Amino acid sequence: MKINHNRLTIHEAYKLLRSKQLSSVELTKAIIERIHQVEPKVHALITVTDELALKQAQKADELIASGDINPLTGIPAVIKDNMCTKGILTTCSSKMLENFVPPYNATVVEKLTDCGAVVVGKSNMDEFAMGSSTENSALFITQNPWDLARVPGGSSGGSTAAVAAGETIYALGSDTGGSIRQPAGFCSVTGLKPTYGRVSRYGLVAFASSLDQIGPLTQDVTDCALVLNAIAGYDPRDSTSAPHPTPDYTQCLTTRLNGLRIGVPKEYFVEGMQTEVETAIRTAVSKLEELGAKADWEVSLPNTPNALAVYYIIAPSEAMANLARYDGVKYGFSYQGTDSMWEAMKKTRQYGFGAEVKRRIMLGTYALSAGYYDAYYLKAQKVRTLIRQEFDRAFEKFDVLVTPTSPTVPFKIGEKVDDPLQMYLSDICTLPVNIAGLPAISIPAGFADGLPIGLQIIGKPFSEETILKIAYAYEQATEWHKRKPDL
Amino acid sequence: MKLSSEQVLQIALLARLGLTDDEVDRLREQLSNILENFEVLQQVDTSNVPPTAQSITLQNVMKSDEAAVSLPQNQILANAPRREGEFFRVRPVLE
C-alpha cells in the first residue's frame, strides 16, 4: 500500500516513525515534493527551508534511532512569518521587514525545535497580521486550496492554506481578532486560539499586545492537543505569560459529552449571515446534543455587536504604539535619500508600510490623541469590560459557547479589498473572544457548494481541555475533517 | 464625524507617517466612515464601569535581577541599515 505521506496527521506519523516504518527524512522529502507541486497554485509560503528541514530530519532520525522520541519529533511544521526564526528570514509579509533575519528564536520555535520538529517553511500572512484575507501581504496573495479564486482567510492564511493543501503536517499561527480561527474555518482545518497568556509570545512580532496569542493549525483535534502540549506554558521572557500549570491536553479527548452545558448566543447569528452557514451550525449543535450535551439556544450576549468598534479602536491603538519602533535605525527598511532625521523616519514608514497598516496606525493615533482619548480609547476599554462581564455571566450557566466561526464561506479574492469595514465584519464572530482573552477553537463543520464552514467553540479562561473535548467528540462523530481539497 | 485633510495630516504628523495626496484623500474618506460606525459605542452606558486594559489578572510581574548573557554585538548589528564600527549610525538630532 502506498501511503500518502503528506496527508498523515501528527499522531499517525508519530506511530510510523516510532515503529520505524517511516523515517523523518522520507516524510520531509514527501512534504517538500508536495510543496514544489502545489505551491505554484496556493502561494502559502514566503520561505521554503528545505535544506534546513532535511538536516533537522536527519537529526530527528538519529534521535528516534536512539529511542528519544516525542509526538513532534521528525514531523514537518510551517511557522507564520511573524515568529522569529534564528537565521531565517522573518518578514511579517511587510516591505518593512523584507530582509530581516532575526538573531534569536521565538520561544514557540525554540520549544518545537527542542521536540525535534522539522521546519519546512515560513508562511504568508496579512502584513503585520492586520487583515482577514492575506490580501494585505506586501509580498503576494495566497489562494484558498478549496477554490483558488477565493481567499484563505487571514491573517494566518499562509499557515492555514499550507495545512489544507498538504504542504505541511501542521503549522503555527497567531490570533489577534480571529487570525487563526477565521482562516481555519475558511480552509476546513482545526485552529485553536489559546487563552491569553497560555502560550509565550516572546519572539512574536507584536501587533496588539493585549490581544495577540499564538496557537496551532492542524488536521484534527488530536494533533491540536499535541501541538498545544508542546508550546503551552509559562515563559519568564514573556511577562504576560500565565503561571498556570499545563495539563496533558490529549488526556481530555473522549467522545462522551454527558452533563456538558452548551450555550448558543443568538447575537452571533448576525444579519447578512449566509443561510448554509446558519444551517450547518444548527446541525452541528444538534449533533452535540446527540452526543450527550445539553444545548440552550436562547442565550443572549447583548454587547456582541459592539465588539467590532471596541476591537478596531483597541487593536489599532496598541498597534500604533508597537509599530513606533519601525524608524529605520536598528533594523528593517530604511529610507536613505535624506540627511534629515524626521524626513528619514517619515519616508521610511511611508514606503515601508502598506495601506492597511497605515490605516490602522492612523486610526490608533487618532483614538489616542489629545481630545479623543476619552471618547474612543477609554470608552472602548469600558465596553471591553462589559463584554468580558457578559461572558463571565454566561459561563456561570454554560461550559462552552458555540457559534459560527465566520458569517460566510470564503469570499472571492478582491471582493472586499476596497471596503475596509466589510473586511472587518468577516471577523465579527471571532473578535469578542480576543477582547475577553478566552480560548476558542474552530473545527470543520460542513461545506456549502464545496466551500468550508467552521464551527467555533468558546471556553472559559484556561479551559482548553473542555473545548478540545467537545471538538474531539464532534470530530469523531463526523467526517468533515477527513475531506481534503483536490489540487 | 467627517475628518478634514488638515486633521488627517495632523494625525500623520503625530504618527511620523508620510502620505501622498491620494492617500490623504482616501484615508479621510475611510477613517471618517470607520469612525462614524464607532459612534455606536457612545450609546452604551458605561457609567461606573472600569476600563479593561488586559484580560488576565496578573499584576506587577517581577523577576529576579540576574545578569545573563546577551546576544553578541555583531549579531545585533547585522540588521542595521547603517552602521559605523560597533555603532548604529544615526542622523543628527540637533541641527
Side-chain angles (χ1 to χ4, degrees):
Chain A
M1 188 186 80
K2 165 117 175 61
I3 308 170
N4 200 356
H5 288 147
N6 63 289
R7 286 302 185 192
L8 291 172
T9 63
I10 295 172
H11 54 97
E12 287 164 354
Y14 171 58
K15 269 185 209 146
L16 295 172
L17 289 168
R18 198 181 46 186
S19 59
K20 314 269 187 343
Q21 294 175 70
L22 176 69
S23 74
S24 173
V25 169
E26 285 173 287
L27 177 59
T28 304
K29 280 184 176 164
I31 286 288
I32 292 169
E33 196 187 310
R34 176 73 176 175
I35 290 174
H36 290 305
Q37 180 201 340
V38 299
E39 194 53 15
K41 294 182 192 167
V42 181
H43 307 100
L45 304 177
I46 293 169
T47 307
V48 179
T49 50
D50 39 3
E51 269 177 48
L52 169 81
L54 284 168
K55 269 189 214 146
Q56 288 178 328
Q58 269 162 13
K59 213 180 128 206
D61 282 332
E62 286 163 23
L63 285 174
I64 295 166
S66 73
D68 186 2
I69 180 169
N70 72 68
L72 298 187
T73 311
I75 298 183
V78 155
I79 313 285
K80 187 176 179 179
D81 217 19
N82 59 352
M83 297 174 210
C84 286
T85 40
K86 188 177 178 175
I88 303 168
L89 204 61
T90 298
T91 69
C92 254
S93 288
S94 179
K95 193 169 176 343
M96 190 64 90
L97 292 174
E98 206 172 13
N99 299 311
F100 177 63
V101 179
Y104 68 98
N105 275 326
T107 295
V108 287
V109 173
E110 204 168 75
K111 285 189 165 198
L112 292 186
T113 312
D114 287 348
C115 287
V118 173
V119 175
V120 289
K122 299 288 301 284
S123 62
N124 198 22
M125 52 187 277
D126 285 298
E127 182 178 3
F128 284 99
M130 297 176 189
S132 314
S133 67
T134 313
E135 289 166 292
N136 293 336
S137 168
L139 306 176
F140 49 83
I141 286 172
T142 296
Q143 277 76 20
N144 189 315
W146 292 92
D147 178 350
L148 299 175
R150 291 176 190 266
V151 303
S155 65
S156 311
S159 277
T160 317
V163 174
E167 296 180 62
T168 181
I169 306 293
Y170 71 99
L172 292 185
S174 68
D175 189 317
T176 304
S179 284
I180 289 174
R181 292 159 288 150
Q182 185 255 24
F186 276 11
C187 294
S188 201
V189 310
T190 298
L192 173 75
K193 182 203 96 72
T195 309
Y196 182 76
R198 180 70 296 180
V199 176
S200 167
R201 304 179 298 176
Y202 177 77
L204 171 72
V205 178
F207 160 16
S209 301
S210 81
L211 305 163
D212 298 340
Q213 183 60 197
I214 293 171
L217 284 152
T218 58
Q219 299 177 68
D220 67 14
V221 176
T222 307
D223 281 7
C224 183
L226 289 169
V227 178
L228 186 61
N229 275 351
I231 62 173
Y234 173 71
D235 177 11
R237 292 179 297 188
D238 174 2
S239 59
T240 59
S241 81
H244 300 55
T246 40
D248 175 354
Y249 291 103
T250 59
Q251 291 302 308
C252 56
L253 305 180
T254 61
T255 52
R256 291 176 56 84
L257 300 183
N258 292 5
L260 280 169
R261 301 157 304 165
I262 292 173
V264 188
K266 55 186 180 200
E267 286 82 4
Y268 283 73
F269 294 84
V270 291
E271 207 185 302
M273 165 169 276
Q274 205 174 322
T275 327
E276 293 97 323
V277 174
E278 180 164 352
T279 310
I281 301 310
R282 291 190 184 281
T283 311
V285 174
S286 304
K287 179 58 91 183
L288 294 173
E289 287 181 303
E290 277 173 39
L291 294 166
K294 217 169 156 302
D296 182 339
W297 300 78
E298 287 300 316
V299 183
S300 177
L301 301 170
N303 268 296
T304 304
N306 295 324
L308 185 79
V310 169
Y311 180 86
Y312 279 100
I313 291 169
I314 289 176
S317 297
E318 295 182 5
M320 88 82 168
N322 277 326
L323 270 54
R325 73 191 66 178
Y326 299 101
D327 56 6
V329 173
K330 296 185 293 300
Y331 51 83
F333 174 74
S334 179
Y335 180 78
Q336 294 301 330
T338 174
D339 286 327
S340 150
M341 180 192 72
W342 291 122
E343 189 64 14
M345 197 181 292
K346 211 173 101 178
K347 288 269 165 56
T348 291
R349 295 161 67 78
Q350 173 169 0
Y351 299 128
F353 291 137
E356 181 63 25
V357 175
K358 286 181 191 169
R359 196 148 50 223
R360 298 214 193 173
I361 289 175
M362 292 289 287
L363 205 50
T365 306
Y366 180 78
L368 291 174
S369 63
Y372 299 101
Y373 179 90
D374 284 1
Y376 289 99
Y377 187 66
L378 191 63
K379 186 75 184 180
Q381 282 193 312
K382 288 180 176 174
V383 181
R384 182 176 191 178
T385 305
L386 294 175
I387 292 171
R388 282 183 61 198
Q389 289 171 345
E390 272 177 18
F391 274 118
D392 286 347
R393 276 196 298 276
F395 285 127
E396 284 168 15
K397 288 166 71 182
F398 305 104
D399 297 296
V400 297
L401 299 170
V402 168
T403 77
T405 302
S406 191
T408 66
V409 296
F411 44 88
K412 289 227 166 81
I413 290 169
E415 194 179 318
K416 300 188 182 191
V417 278
D418 293 327
D419 190 345
L421 260 177
Q422 275 308 311
M423 186 71 92
Y424 297 170
L425 278 166
S426 78
D427 286 331
I428 192 75
C429 300
T430 49
L431 300 172
V433 171
N434 299 71
I435 289 170
L438 305 170
I441 195 169
S442 176
I443 52 170
F447 292 84
D449 291 329
L451 296 170
I453 296 169
L455 174 75
Q456 178 175 240
I457 306 169
I458 309 168
K460 298 171 205 181
F462 301 101
S463 74
E464 279 82 359
E465 288 171 287
T466 312
I467 57 177
L468 285 167
K469 178 193 171 92
I470 295 171
Y472 180 76
Y474 177 80
E475 174 191 276
Q476 293 304 304
T478 54
E479 297 279 312
W480 307 121
H481 66 291
K482 291 186 181 157
R483 244 199 249 184
K484 306 288 173 190
D486 259 332
L487 273 169
Chain B
M1 174 84 213
K2 280 268 176 252
L3 293 178
S4 64
S5 296
E6 289 69 35
Q7 279 176 301
V8 172
L9 286 168
Q10 176 59 27
I11 305 165
L13 174 69
L14 293 173
R16 303 292 169 198
L17 188 60
L19 297 174
T20 63
D21 292 349
D22 275 1
E23 283 177 313
V24 172
D25 282 347
R26 207 163 41 239
L27 281 166
R28 197 170 60 81
E29 273 301 309
Q30 290 174 338
L31 295 180
S32 299
N33 184 22
I34 293 167
L35 291 168
E36 218 170 271
N37 273 272
F38 289 177
E39 273 162 26
V40 291
L41 293 188
Q42 304 310 322
Q43 321 293 317
V44 184
D45 180 8
T46 51
S47 38
N48 302 318
V49 178
T52 293
Q54 48 104 338
S55 54
I56 44 173
T57 47
L58 291 176
Q59 271 184 350
N60 298 336
V61 176
M62 303 290 190
K63 61 177 179 181
S64 46
D65 185 17
E66 281 165 15
V69 185
S70 302
L71 286 170
Q73 205 175 38
N74 61 344
Q75 280 186 33
I76 293 297
L77 285 163
N79 282 295
R82 310 206 300 175
R83 71 184 274 191
E84 205 169 291
E86 53 191 29
F87 300 102
F88 291 103
R89 187 181 161 80
V90 296
R91 293 173 178 82
V93 178
L94 299 170
E95 283 163 8

